Amino acid sequence: MSNRKLRMGMIGGGKDAFIGAIHRIAANMDGQVELVCGALSMHPDVAQESGKMLFLDPERTYNTYDEMFKAEAQKPADERMDFVTIVTPNFAHFAPAMQALENGFNVVIEKPITFTLEEAQQLKAKVEETGLMLLLTHTYAGYPMVKEARELIKSGALGKVRKIYVEYLQGWLSRLSEREGNAQASWRTDPSKSGKAGAMGDIGTHAAHLAEYISGQKIDELSASLNIVVDGRMLDDDGAVLLRFDGGATGTLIASQVAAGSENALSIRVFGENGGLEWHQMEPNTLIVRWLDKPAEILRAGTANLSSAASSNCRTPGGHPEGYLEAFGNLYRNFALALSAKIEGREVPEWIDFPSVDDGIRGMAFINNVVASNASDEKWTKYTI
């Protein structure tokens, strides 16, 4: 156990920002981290007001991240921030992340990790050069029953994995919300801010990461069809992808933000030779395991007989629901425990894991390959990085 809290800075995530507040709740959940500084908005008045709302020291409420890095780097080691969380839109990820690493600060960053694959590769090179740590917040990897599914497949109980079906359905972009004053829709559907993919970049990357994380196999080839369903939109809001994995499995990935009435319906089914498993993000405490020659099992978070990977990421006894915030909190806790151990020269417990810069590179590669496949006349596109 660490002898102090880790000191966190934040870029973006100021007043009225959705994901910034989520990150602060998650970081604070286990008492391992405290927010000590921030450059919370590109608008100085909003940055300062946000700092006051969060009770930050006015001298550590900065108007720009450049100002923050310079000032924090000059502070004594027992005062300066240990890591910075970057919660800006996609196009504003790379520059502050690189500057953080160059100034000796570890990084927590929203996905997709950067605006382009080339930027992600540069970021990986800088992480390796500096030896610093980076957490990519693929939230769904923090759920206990996702970890249980992963361990079940690793154990070989289901036999060789043959089929993987993953889908992520939302309905919040069923209208042209970006022209109705919806700030989230505005930047997420703008290629100059979001990148070359819309729904596939925003939620398809989550689905792809979940499929690879649980199955232990990597996407090797794909065949994608992307759609713009709502007239006037600039990026895909719907799509489907056929998948071939390097371990021999095949499957499908569906991502849509025009599935009217759907909220945040991420789900996955994986089938092996002996049976399959099923997990739904909107019922996250349950993992269903179906066997070829015996009755199905319903596994529940917080109960006995789970793997150490799952039980170590449960916070309450069975029957006490844990959800999105707790999964997010698990990412921060695992990152904080690993970083504290590194700072203090201790070994990291083997059950600790979290998404890294390598996952970020695969996410950017997924976007590139899906967009290329959609534009290609070839049936299959080789998954290249």
Side-chain angles (χ1 to χ4, degrees), residues 224-285:
S225 173
L226 305 184
N227 308 305
I228 297 176
V229 174
V230 176
D231 290 340
R233 183 157 285 153
M234 293 186 286
L235 289 172
D236 61 282
D237 50 21
D238 173 82
V241 189
L242 295 174
L243 302 171
R244 288 175 173 169
F245 292 83
D246 62 359
T250 60
T252 59
L253 183 154
I254 298 172
S256 180
Q257 293 176 312
V258 294
S262 292
E263 296 174 318
N264 200 56
L266 171 63
S267 63
I268 186 167
R269 291 173 294 156
V270 181
F271 297 93
E273 298 166 310
N274 305 323
L277 57 80
E278 182 176 336
W279 181 80
H280 299 267
Q281 194 272 155
M282 292 177 65
E283 185 59 48
N285 295 279

Side-chain angles (χ1 to χ4, degrees), residues 10-311:
M10 179 169 276
I11 298 173
K15 179 184 176 184
D16 299 327
F18 158 67
I19 202 65
I22 298 295
H23 276 262
R24 289 189 291 271
I25 292 169
N28 195 50
M29 194 171 289
D30 292 280
Q32 299 289 316
V33 174
E34 64 177 329
L35 181 68
V36 297
C37 63
L40 301 167
S41 173
M42 67 176 65
H43 305 291
D45 56 336
V46 177
Q48 294 300 317
E49 184 179 357
S50 300
K52 289 178 182 177
M53 292 172 64
L54 295 170
F55 305 103
L56 290 182
D57 181 342
E59 293 187 359
R60 299 180 80 175
T61 302
Y62 304 100
N63 291 334
T64 68
Y65 64 78
D66 183 65
E67 177 187 343
M68 181 174 75
F69 289 137
K70 288 179 180 177
E72 290 295 316
Q74 292 173 4
K75 291 186 178 297
D78 61 351
E79 291 183 20
R80 72 172 73 108
M81 67 177 176
D82 295 298
F83 72 92
V84 64
T85 290
I86 300 169
V87 289
T88 52
N90 303 358
F91 74 97
H93 283 183
F94 176 68
M98 283 292 282
Q99 195 167 337
L101 294 167
E102 288 167 351
N103 280 275
F105 299 114
N106 301 280
V107 173
V108 174
I109 192 167
E110 263 296 321
K111 48 65 50 196
I113 192 168
T114 51
F115 195 66
T116 66
L117 176 59
E118 292 72 25
E119 288 179 346
Q121 291 168 333
Q122 290 180 53
L123 206 56
K124 175 181 170 65
K126 184 61 67 173
V127 168
E128 292 176 344
E129 174 192 325
T130 60
L132 295 167
M133 292 175 58
L134 184 146
L135 161 64
L136 179 70
T137 52
H138 268 298
T139 317
Y140 307 108
Y143 279 101
M145 301 316 284
V146 166
K147 295 186 182 298
E148 183 68 12
R150 185 178 191 230
E151 292 301 309
L152 187 63
I153 288 173
K154 283 172 64 177
S155 75
L158 297 182
K160 184 179 180 180
V161 172
R162 293 170 167 171
K163 302 296 298 184
I164 302 168
Y165 303 100
V166 61
E167 67 176 30
Y168 200 154
L169 304 180
Q170 297 177 338
W172 72 289
L173 288 179
S174 293
R175 298 191 179 95
L176 201 62
S177 303
E178 55 266 41
R179 298 188 189 173
E180 299 174 349
N182 186 318
Q184 288 287 325
S186 179
W187 76 259
R188 290 177 191 271
T189 59
D190 181 348
S192 70
K193 294 182 172 62
S194 186
K196 63 175 66 175
M200 277 296 164
D202 191 15
I203 62 175
T205 49
H206 273 305
H209 181 264
L210 187 68
E212 292 191 341
Y213 183 74
I214 288 179
S215 72
Q217 298 190 24
K218 303 296 186 184
I219 299 169
D220 188 51
E221 292 182 298
L222 54 77
S223 180
S225 173
L226 305 184
N227 308 305
I228 297 176
V229 174
V230 176
D231 290 340
R233 183 157 285 153
M234 293 186 286
L235 289 172
D236 61 282
D237 50 21
D238 173 82
V241 189
L242 295 174
L243 302 171
R244 288 175 173 169
F245 292 83
D246 62 359
T250 60
T252 59
L253 183 154
I254 298 172
S256 180
Q257 293 176 312
V258 294
S262 292
E263 296 174 318
N264 200 56
L266 171 63
S267 63
I268 186 167
R269 291 173 294 156
V270 181
F271 297 93
E273 298 166 310
N274 305 323
L277 57 80
E278 182 176 336
W279 181 80
H280 299 267
Q281 194 272 155
M282 292 177 65
E283 185 59 48
N285 295 279
T286 298
L287 177 67
I288 301 172
V289 185
R290 306 183 192 279
W291 299 103
L292 181 64
D293 53 5
K294 59 182 179 180
E297 299 176 14
I298 297 176
L299 307 180
R300 295 280 291 166
T303 59
N305 302 318
L306 297 181
S307 65
S308 61
S311 60

Side-chain angles (χ1 to χ4, degrees), residues 352-373:
I352 288 179
D353 76 328
F354 52 84
S356 70
V357 67
D358 291 321
D359 298 282
I361 286 177
R362 289 201 63 81
M364 295 310 302
F366 174 79
I367 293 170
N368 276 9
N369 287 297
V370 163
V371 171
S373 174

